[in-house]
Amino acid sequence: MIVRLIIVLYHMKLLTPVGIYSLIASIINNGINMMTLLKIAGETYSHKVALVDGDETVSFIQLQSEAEKLAIIFKDKYKLKAGQKVAFLCRNHASMVRAIFATSRLGLDIYLLNTEMSKMQFKQLVHQHNFDFLIYDFELSHFLEDSEYMKDKILSYHKDLLAINQLLHSRIDDKYKLPRCSSGQIILLTSGTTGKSKEVAHKPSLFNFLNPFLAILTKLKLFKCQTAYIATPIFHGYGIAILISCIALGKKVVISQGFHAKEACQLIRKHNVEVVSVVPLMIHKMLKTNAADLTSLTCIASGGAELNPKLVEEVFSKLGGVLYNLYGTSEAGLNMIATPQDLRYATNTIGKKIEGVQLMVMDQNNNPVEDDTVGQFCIKNRWSMQNKRKYWIETGDLGFRDKNGYYFLRGRTDDMVVSAGENVYPIEIEQVLIQHSQVEVVAVIGIDDEQFGQRLQAFVQPLNTQLTEEALLEWLRPRVARFQMPKAIVFVASMPYTPLGKLDKKQLRFH
């Protein structure tokens, strides 16, 4: 642990007497929260660019001072205090980032809400969590219509109405010092855009997150880069993890309010971006739009959804060995990283465990299974959710470890199909079908069958309209076991995706 801490402090430029003093002083004065990291970054990197969005460019010292000022205003004007709940209904922009640091400094529990939810789902969240304060984008004002929310709120940005950018022009007492605070948490809501949400709480702490931070730093070679582009939403755990890591290391972070492949390619070229955080669908779209704009990239950090082997090979072919596959969950955080070398070993691997992760592959009776046997991933680490009572976290993900220590996913526990007594994993058939030269996207689900109990059904988005079901089944037959053969293949013009870029198989069931 001491060695890993020394490595992190070295890359944060704190392994000097002045740096150590700055760290200790910041913890003493601020407590353990995200502002502590920003305070150190402000002092260390000063006028270096920290953040770029569509409207402004912000230096580290500016971001620090504005976040501190905002924290004082929040406390004075809205009487916000430790333990209260603040909800963010914001897309990626600088005002959101300022407010996240400011509310963390006050010890508030930060709830990052999915901006793609429905009005009904927002009403359910307000009723369920009873937020004390709301920060939201003007474009998302319709969420508040007919909702129960009646407490204080403020717009993230507006030219005329009261908003965070307007508050920053307020006068404050320069001598006022906020009391030390270490009680706040970051709350992720795991149910996506449907169903009753479940809270997943993580307490910001360099010491708790030392291992995943070091893994991102070293395996992704983040310390070598200067500029990162967060293409994924900050409200997703993956997005905010990359944001905090880059701020701590003094990297320039580029963000945008939504993902559009053409704009993303232009941003990467304009800012000479070296690291980009994405979901696989984003990589696919950018490669189709303009792969030439992506040549500055040295690290494509993919997470949030499964990589398919064809996409891995396409990235290697067009951009070289720059693709990394990250595996984690909202509850357990980051747990595995597959480097380009790992993906050359097996294009469908999620890599090996990072330092500090305990992982067991368990059968349905909670007994460990042998290598190459599929079971549920159960994880234990220091940085998992703070409100989880169970010692081991059951991820709901199925997979196995091979004899060389590499891990592979086989879908979710509720994806597995039992066909004529055989366990069948849809992902295995997906990974074969995607290898067909005329298949662009594929999804496989289980359907009821009178004779076998369950069978598979494949949905294929073809590159060529001349491809037929008969021809594709004939191509597939020698490549999979008999019990893995789909009962039918349905061709579709496009696939449904969730707002985070995952294939939405629930919608396919109603096709």
Side-chain angles (χ1 to χ4, degrees):
M1 179 65 75
I2 297 298
V3 173
R4 293 194 287 276
L5 180 59
I6 290 172
I7 294 172
V8 168
L9 293 178
Y10 170 78
H11 287 293
M12 290 177 66
K13 303 187 185 303
L14 296 177
L15 205 59
T16 64
V18 174
I20 297 297
Y21 173 81
S22 176
L23 174 63
I24 294 172
S26 186
I27 293 174
I28 290 172
N29 294 327
N30 295 283
I32 298 176
N33 53 62
M34 286 189 286
M35 185 68 85
T36 302
L37 285 177
L38 182 56
K39 180 78 171 177
I40 295 168
E43 294 174 354
T44 305
Y45 305 107
S46 189
H47 297 288
K48 184 179 177 183
V49 173
L51 198 63
V52 178
D53 69 7
D55 297 310
E56 56 184 318
T57 298
V58 185
S59 70
F60 278 93
I61 194 69
Q62 181 185 352
L63 182 61
Q64 173 211 329
S65 62
E66 289 176 345
E68 287 181 333
K69 182 176 183 178
L70 196 57
I72 293 171
I73 295 171
F74 281 164
K75 183 176 179 61
D76 181 56
K77 182 178 177 63
Y78 297 100
K79 310 304 178 187
L80 297 181
K81 57 186 179 181
Q84 289 186 309
K85 300 178 180 181
V86 56
F88 281 79
L89 189 61
C90 301
R91 298 190 174 99
N92 293 6
H93 50 66
S95 279
M96 179 195 193
V97 175
R98 291 184 184 96
I100 286 175
F101 282 106
T103 51
S104 176
R105 176 64 182 86
L106 295 175
L108 274 68
D109 288 341
I110 297 170
Y111 287 72
L112 301 175
L113 308 187
N114 190 327
T115 59
E116 301 296 332
M117 73 176 80
S118 69
K119 288 173 65 175
M120 180 59 70
Q121 288 157 354
F122 176 74
K123 289 171 67 174
Q124 291 172 349
L125 289 175
V126 168
H127 178 76
Q128 181 181 347
H129 298 286
N130 191 28
F131 302 122
D132 298 292
F133 193 59
L134 175 66
I135 299 170
Y136 65 106
D137 292 349
F138 179 76
E139 295 77 13
L140 303 174
S141 299
H142 61 277
F143 279 97
L144 278 69
E145 298 171 2
D146 303 321
S147 79
E148 298 177 10
Y149 190 80
M150 301 298 292
K151 297 183 182 180
D152 285 330
K153 59 184 181 292
I154 189 169
L155 291 167
S156 59
Y157 182 88
H158 202 277
K159 291 183 179 179
D160 302 310
L161 301 177
L162 182 63
I164 286 174
N165 60 300
Q166 306 288 354
L167 284 184
L168 291 173
H169 297 300
S170 304
R171 285 194 169 190
I172 61 171
D173 182 356
D174 293 335
K175 296 181 180 179
Y176 181 80
K177 299 296 182 183
L178 289 167
R180 186 177 186 274
C181 188
S182 301
S183 59
Q185 301 180 106
I186 299 174
I187 313 293
L188 306 177
L189 302 175
T190 63
S191 60
T193 60
T194 60
K196 186 176 181 179
S197 66
K198 181 176 64 175
E199 295 184 21
V200 177
H202 295 275
K203 189 167 184 62
S205 167
L206 175 62
F207 302 101
N208 282 346
F209 287 87
L210 186 60
N211 284 318
F213 182 51
L214 186 57
I216 290 174
L217 179 68
T218 55
K219 284 185 174 291
L220 273 57
K221 299 181 174 63
L222 203 59
F223 62 90
K224 289 186 176 181
C225 85
Q226 296 300 317
T227 304
Y229 169 38
I230 301 177
T232 50
I234 290 174
F235 65 71
H236 190 251
Y238 179 31
I240 196 166
I242 298 294
L243 172 68
I244 294 171
S245 298
C246 288
I247 292 293
L249 293 168
K251 309 303 179 183
K252 181 172 80 173
V253 176
V254 180
I255 54 177
S256 56
Q257 293 200 34
F259 176 81
H260 305 283
K262 183 177 180 180
E263 178 192 16
C265 290
Q266 291 171 345
L267 285 172
I268 289 170
R269 178 183 285 275
K270 177 181 177 180
H271 295 282
N272 198 33
V273 171
E274 297 139 292
V275 176
V276 61
S277 68
V278 293
V279 296
L281 180 62
M282 292 175 177
I283 311 172
H284 177 71
K285 288 183 175 181
M286 287 192 294
L287 287 174
K288 288 184 67 176
T289 300
N290 192 350
D293 280 346
L294 311 180
T295 55
S296 63
L297 293 174
T298 60
C299 171
I300 300 175
S302 176
E306 295 159 3
L307 273 174
N308 73 65
K310 182 182 285 188
L311 181 58
V312 174
E313 291 169 356
E314 185 180 5
V315 172
F316 283 166
S317 172
K318 293 182 177 180
L319 302 175
V322 299
L323 184 60
Y324 296 75
N325 193 13
L326 281 63
Y327 170 78
T329 71
S330 296
E331 294 91 343
L334 177 67
N335 292 283
M336 281 178 266
I337 297 177
T339 65
Q341 293 73 27
D342 297 332
L343 292 171
R344 292 191 188 282
Y345 167 81
T347 54
N348 61 336
T349 184
I350 53 174
K352 294 184 176 182
K353 297 181 298 181
I354 66 173
E355 190 74 29
V357 171
Q358 297 181 57
L359 190 153
M360 298 186 70
V361 185
M362 312 286 281
D363 63 19
Q364 293 178 342
N365 297 317
N366 289 324
N367 296 315
V369 301
E370 296 180 353
D371 286 347
D372 298 315
T373 303
V374 174
Q376 181 178 193
F377 288 168
C378 296
I379 291 173
K380 182 169 59 175
N381 60 47
R382 290 188 60 181
W383 54 93
S384 61
M385 58 187 285
Q386 299 294 304
N387 57 352
K388 189 76 175 179
R389 292 183 180 180
K390 291 185 178 179
Y391 202 45
W392 288 85
I393 293 176
E394 297 179 357
T395 64
D397 288 325
L398 292 173
F400 67 92
R401 186 185 70 174
D402 73 6
K403 293 179 179 178
N404 293 319
Y406 288 92
Y407 287 85
F408 298 80
L409 284 175
R410 283 298 175 262
R412 300 285 294 169
T413 51
D414 53 2
D415 286 343
M416 189 185 76
V417 171
V418 181
S419 184
E422 297 282 357
N423 291 345
V424 185
Y425 305 97
I427 189 175
E428 294 182 330
I429 291 70
E430 291 171 353
Q431 291 176 348
V432 175
L433 281 171
I434 197 65
Q435 297 296 334
H436 192 284
S437 61
Q438 297 303 314
V439 172
E440 182 170 16
V441 187
V442 60
V444 178
I445 64 172
I447 58 173
D448 293 332
D449 183 86
E450 290 185 6
Q451 184 178 359
F452 295 94
Q454 288 180 299
R455 292 283 300 278
L456 297 181
Q457 180 167 301
F459 293 84
V460 169
Q461 181 181 326
L463 286 168
N464 190 328
T465 55
Q466 296 179 349
L467 183 64
T468 65
E469 180 183 11
E470 293 75 15
L472 191 52
L473 285 170
E474 189 64 27
W475 177 90
L476 181 63
R477 192 166 284 112
R479 292 171 168 82
V480 299
R482 184 176 178 181
F483 59 84
Q484 293 176 311
M485 283 294 293
K487 183 176 184 178
I489 295 177
V490 178
F491 290 100
V492 296
S494 62
M495 289 285 190
Y497 291 91
T498 70
L500 292 179
K502 290 185 179 182
L503 274 170
D504 192 343
K505 293 187 177 181
K506 291 181 180 178
Q507 285 194 42
L508 289 176
R509 296 186 186 278
F510 299 103
H511 192 281

